[in-house]
Amino acid sequence: MHAETVHRRASLRWLSWCLALGLVGALQPVAAQPADADEFAAQIPMPGSQQAWRRVGKATFQHYFQPYYRAALYLSPSVRQTAEVADALTAYQVEIIWQPTELAAGEMRAYWRQALREAAGDEDTFGRIETRAEHWIAQLPAARHGDRWTFSYLPDAGMTVRINDRPVSRLVGIDFNRSLTRVWFGEAADPEPRAALLGHDTATHQPRHAD
């Protein structure tokens, strides 16, 4: 009888220990989940610059009423007037992340051809950039959901385009780069995502606060 009682007490202690261990495990803080690959960094390092560039805004651009890509704008802390961006008068970086499951190369090229034509504003301007634009467009690959394209612009050096961190193009010529810049920031761009990208109030399209 004594042995049975001892055995029962040992079993109860073991069960209590297991329950306590389970409770402790349940109370442990959940490990932080890694950030989504789609997230845009708040700051990015820039070669040749002692200061990190800040993310000014981010937005989703649509095409035929469907989310086409998410975008973020980065500027040097020294830039105070985002209006300079639309005219390609200041250095900037735009990162875009494609949203469709897959975009064939033909679809990609058709999009950029249409976007550049609209951003140019008139046929004369587009005529000046058409040869250069078509040369770039012809090299564009297909894209898949999550592919990241980066457009880094320096007024004196032109535009460097990277796909998933791999440099693929260097675009020169102020007319061409200004038209490409206006795809996101020009008058023909969708006003709400344009305002969000520039860090403006999307209701008024004005800066959220004065510097």
Side-chain angles (χ1 to χ4, degrees):
M1 185 72 175
H2 179 70
E4 182 180 349
T5 301
V6 171
H7 177 72
R8 185 179 301 163
R9 288 176 178 174
S11 298
L12 288 174
R13 282 198 300 271
W14 180 83
L15 179 60
S16 298
W17 180 80
C18 289
L19 290 172
L21 183 63
L23 181 60
V24 169
L27 293 175
Q28 291 297 320
V30 178
Q33 297 298 314
D36 291 342
D38 285 4
E39 288 298 323
F40 296 107
Q43 294 183 327
I44 57 172
M46 291 301 295
S49 175
Q50 295 181 347
Q51 291 181 305
W53 285 19
R54 73 190 193 284
R55 188 186 70 215
V56 176
K58 55 183 179 178
T60 299
F61 284 80
Q62 296 191 347
H63 187 52
Y64 293 123
F65 307 104
Q66 297 295 323
Y68 216 52
Y69 56 80
R70 295 172 57 208
L73 169 65
Y74 294 89
L75 293 175
S76 165
S78 63
V79 175
R80 298 299 180 204
Q81 298 295 327
T82 55
E84 297 177 0
V85 177
D87 290 324
L89 297 176
T90 189
Y92 71 85
Q93 179 165 300
V94 164
E95 292 184 13
I96 69 176
I97 301 174
W98 294 99
Q99 298 302 295
T101 303
E102 188 168 5
L103 287 168
E107 295 176 279
M108 183 67 67
R109 293 165 187 170
Y111 167 75
W112 286 107
R113 185 175 291 112
Q114 176 185 344
L116 284 167
R117 184 180 292 274
E118 292 176 354
D122 57 70
E123 287 301 315
D124 287 342
T125 302
F126 185 71
R128 292 197 296 271
I129 70 168
E130 186 171 11
T131 300
R132 194 165 290 162
E134 287 296 337
H135 178 73
W136 177 61
I137 289 169
Q139 303 173 50
L140 296 178
R144 294 186 177 186
H145 177 81
D147 279 355
R148 186 183 296 258
W149 290 27
T150 305
F151 298 79
S152 302
Y153 176 70
L154 297 172
D156 295 332
M159 183 86 73
T160 299
V161 183
R162 301 194 305 277
I163 296 178
N164 296 330
D165 289 329
R166 180 173 61 89
V168 295
S169 306
R170 183 158 177 253
L171 311 175
V172 296
I174 185 61
D175 286 336
F176 179 44
N177 281 312
R178 185 169 287 156
S179 293
L180 183 54
T181 299
R182 288 176 177 172
V183 168
W184 307 295
F185 307 112
E187 294 181 0
D190 191 338
E192 187 167 327
R194 177 186 63 198
L197 204 56
L198 289 167
H200 295 177
D201 188 320
T202 55
T204 64
H205 300 172
Q206 296 298 316
R208 292 195 181 98
H209 58 271
D211 290 327

